Amino acid sequence: FDRAGHRIGYGAGYYDMTINALRATKRVIAIGIAFAAQEIPKVPATTRDARLDLVLTERETIDFRRA
């Protein structure tokens, strides 16, 4: 994950499609759980990638909704 709310998935887009489909029908909060050491400076993301609202690590809760 990065500080923009992007995450690295398995490459098929299933999470992105699901999050975007749910968000099209109702308010959804997407939360990622990761170790702090998994953070990278920038995830290569496209316009199809769904951003997370929050990431929870053992060190902090990162809230991307304010960005």
Side-chain angles (χ1 to χ4, degrees):
F1 72 95
D2 66 15
R3 292 284 166 155
H6 296 111
R7 58 172 184 75
I8 297 175
Y10 289 104
Y14 296 118
Y15 283 100
D16 299 307
M17 287 185 286
T18 301
I19 292 168
N20 288 330
L22 289 169
R23 285 179 172 161
T25 63
K26 60 185 170 185
R27 186 168 184 262
V28 172
I29 298 175
I31 302 172
I33 300 173
F35 292 108
Q38 292 175 297
E39 182 178 350
I40 62 173
K42 183 173 174 69
V43 170
T46 69
T47 55
R48 294 175 301 176
D49 294 323
R51 288 182 56 223
L52 297 171
D53 295 301
L54 299 156
V55 169
L56 310 176
T57 75
E58 76 279 12
R59 292 188 187 153
E60 64 183 318
T61 298
I62 308 165
D63 189 343
F64 303 111
R65 295 172 295 180
R66 292 180 237 144

